[in-house]
Amino acid sequence: MYLFEWGAVVIISASVRHNIHGLSQVAEVSRRLDGISRRLLEHDSIDAAIVLTTCNRVDIYADSAKGVPAAEAECAIARELNALPSFLHGKAAITHIFSVAAGLDSMVIGEREISGQLRRAHRQAINMHTTNSDLSRVVDSALRISRKVAHSTGLAGTGRSIVSLALDCVAERWQDAPNEARVLLIGTGAYAGATVSQLRGRQIEQISVYSHSGRAQSFAQAHELVAVDEADFVSALAQADIVVACRGLGNPIITAELLAQVMPMRDTELIILDLALQTDVQSDVGTMAGVRLVILEDIQRVAPDAAQSHVHRAQKLIKQGVDDVIAQMDSRRIDPVVVAFREHITDLCTGEVDRLPAKETFTKEEVARALGHFASRIAHTPSVLARQAAETGNDWEYVRALHSVLGIDVSQAAREANIRPAQLSSGGKCPLSAFLNRDVDVKGSGHHEL
């Protein structure tokens, strides 16, 4: 007897985010992410993992191993994070991934930077070979729907983002004469690039960049900025109207000691926007005279609500996208069965070829005879099963199964034979199940197992 076990894809999301766990716990968890994708794949319960980290969330998207309870994968993730994230699995997890990609789960609803961050996280997982086809299909679909949300709703129309809100918090410093505002950018990562775009969108062009890692020169060339080297860092701080820090390495680069050198060189307030989850600015800097420090918690408090009509439209698009990707994965799950069926037919065909006499050419009659024998072998088992279905009162179910499997319309023949729907008789079996399980007598069929 042969039984088919259908392994279900179980997508899992594990989320530590600002509005549930608080920014301090998000920062704490983000310090433990080095190499976490590979560590997760060392657990037997996890087949794939993608790690998304932003200034206000740490998300892990995983595909649990086939046949393993989702709870085992969730325990593995919690142990690696040393935290208790919010878990979702199945359709709820996929919906969460779509909502994240579209910006509906962000600190600033509708912001577009998150889709780029998810795209980079996915690309990194591909390069590290920590994702698989199912998880990648979900993320690709989520990114595609996020673009549709951006184009079909008003959520992205106002350029909403963490950076834009931070700049709005200090608008009095630059909005009257943006071309005169001098901004020092600290950091050269992806978020620094988004910051440059936001600054230029506000006609702020006097932008310099500093990086302790030495990447300032290449970043400046790529974005047409002014690079600041180590020797000029203090003077650059003294001349800047606004400092935007977005390194996020967890070791503050702007300290009270450093600003004690800078402030005597200034005659105006120094504005510092610390947009890093793992802060770039020492906490006591905010208490210094002449310094205004804006941190993520400040931005969180002023983040406006999105228009509900836009959110509802986005949610409808997300629901359709989730249903579509689940249908795609369901359709792909039967691929091994299709392959096995094709191999069965190929084996029958190979057997017929082997029966042919060893010669180069064949007459039309010989070919017709060989094809007729091949057709008889294919039809033999279904024919035996048809008679058994009729004997057990399952002939209607057999007709339906024949149509489902082979696409053959035998409705007219069924009417002529007076075959009608009926309940399965006691002890009866669906002929398709019987075919799969091989629990019928098909002696002499010469068949190959499916």
Side-chain angles (χ1 to χ4, degrees):
M1 181 180 291
Y2 292 81
L3 296 175
F4 285 90
E5 294 184 2
W6 302 91
V9 175
V10 179
I11 301 297
I12 296 171
S13 72
S15 184
V16 179
R17 56 190 188 271
H18 68 99
N19 57 336
I20 294 179
H21 303 84
L23 287 169
S24 60
Q25 187 170 5
V26 176
E28 180 64 28
V29 169
S30 68
R31 296 187 181 97
R32 292 191 284 269
L33 296 181
D34 189 32
I36 192 171
S37 295
R38 295 194 183 282
R39 295 201 307 274
L40 286 171
L41 263 62
E42 291 174 359
H43 293 268
D44 294 337
S45 57
I46 297 176
D47 277 349
I50 295 174
V51 180
L52 170 67
T53 176
T54 74
C55 65
N56 55 67
R57 74 184 318 114
V58 172
D59 273 15
I60 293 178
Y61 307 136
D63 183 6
S64 65
K66 306 300 181 286
V68 176
E72 290 189 24
E74 292 174 1
C75 288
I77 294 170
R79 284 197 299 270
E80 292 295 342
L81 291 177
N82 194 26
L84 185 59
S86 299
F87 282 111
L88 295 169
H89 63 270
K91 185 175 183 178
I94 296 173
T95 301
H96 172 74
I97 296 172
F98 274 66
S99 297
V100 168
L104 295 193
D105 199 55
S106 296
M107 182 186 296
V108 182
I109 302 298
E111 57 101 356
R112 292 293 300 144
E113 288 157 5
I114 185 67
S115 62
Q117 292 165 326
L118 179 57
R119 185 175 296 105
R120 287 187 290 273
H122 184 210
R123 189 180 304 121
Q124 183 179 27
I126 292 172
N127 293 338
M128 294 175 60
H129 307 289
T130 63
T131 187
N132 63 12
S133 60
D134 286 324
L135 188 55
S136 287
R137 183 176 290 111
V138 169
V139 173
D140 281 336
S141 298
L143 290 170
R144 185 167 57 253
I145 292 298
S146 77
R147 292 191 292 272
K148 197 169 183 179
V149 167
H151 297 149
S152 304
T153 73
L155 288 177
T158 57
R160 304 158 62 89
S161 70
I162 299 291
V163 179
S164 66
L165 283 184
L167 291 172
D168 289 345
C169 288
V170 296
E172 75 281 355
R173 191 56 176 272
W174 58 266
Q175 64 182 0
D176 291 338
N179 59 315
E180 296 178 6
R182 294 165 298 183
V183 176
L184 173 61
L185 182 61
I186 299 177
T188 57
Y191 215 64
T195 301
V196 171
S197 298
Q198 288 289 341
L199 290 169
R200 286 187 167 149
R202 288 161 172 73
Q203 299 180 328
I204 299 174
E205 294 291 343
Q206 294 191 58
I207 309 170
S208 55
V209 59
Y210 168 80
S211 173
H212 189 65
S213 65
R215 290 193 288 266
Q217 191 66 43
S218 58
F219 185 88
Q221 290 177 351
H223 295 82
E224 298 181 352
L225 310 178
V226 176
V228 174
D229 58 27
E230 197 74 39
D232 296 328
F233 183 44
V234 172
S235 61
L237 284 169
Q239 295 171 20
D241 295 307
I242 301 173
V243 175
V244 181
C246 51
R247 290 164 67 246
L249 299 181
N251 51 331
I253 193 171
I254 300 179
T255 63
E257 182 181 0
L258 174 64
L259 291 190
Q261 304 175 49
V262 172
M263 297 312 294
M265 304 166 62
R266 301 178 57 89
D267 54 11
T268 59
E269 181 184 51
L270 174 61
I271 295 176
I272 303 175
L273 308 180
D274 186 7
L275 306 184
L277 181 59
Q278 298 184 50
T279 180
D280 288 328
V281 183
Q282 204 171 55
S283 58
D284 54 357
V285 163
T287 64
M288 296 182 66
V291 177
R292 181 181 175 188
L293 177 62
V294 177
I295 60 177
L296 286 174
E297 282 84 352
D298 300 322
I299 300 169
Q300 186 178 27
R301 284 191 289 270
V302 301
D305 293 330
Q308 285 303 303
S309 60
H310 297 325
V311 173
H312 290 160
R313 170 62 176 157
Q315 289 171 338
K316 288 181 64 177
L317 293 172
I318 287 171
K319 182 181 183 303
Q320 184 61 56
V322 170
D323 290 343
D324 288 346
V325 75
I326 289 176
Q328 291 171 17
M329 290 193 293
D330 285 342
S331 70
R332 301 299 300 185
R333 211 156 29 242
I334 203 170
D335 282 357
V337 176
V338 174
V339 170
F341 177 69
R342 287 180 175 274
E343 288 177 349
H344 170 69
I345 300 299
T346 299
D347 288 345
L348 292 179
C349 184
T350 300
E352 290 305 310
V353 171
D354 292 341
R355 290 180 64 256
L356 294 173
K359 61 180 183 176
E360 295 296 327
T361 59
F362 298 90
T363 66
K364 185 175 181 179
E365 290 74 16
E366 289 174 325
V367 173
R369 189 162 52 251
L371 290 176
H373 190 269
F374 177 59
S376 296
R377 293 188 66 192
I378 292 177
H380 178 80
T381 299
S383 299
V384 172
L385 291 170
R387 295 189 183 93
Q388 183 188 19
E391 292 170 359
T392 57
N394 298 327
D395 45 7
W396 175 255
E397 285 72 24
Y398 180 88
V399 169
R400 292 180 60 197
L402 195 64
H403 178 72
S404 296
V405 173
L406 299 179
I408 300 174
D409 184 1
V410 291
S411 56
Q412 180 60 40
R415 282 192 293 271
E416 293 175 359
N418 197 30
I419 296 175
R420 301 176 182 277
Q423 296 294 327
L424 288 176
S425 58
S426 60
K429 296 182 179 180
C430 170
L432 182 57
S433 298
F435 179 56
L436 293 177
N437 289 323
R438 283 292 185 266
D439 56 359
V440 295
D441 181 12
V442 287
K443 292 180 180 179
S445 64
H447 68 276
H448 294 254
E449 299 288 1
L450 183 61

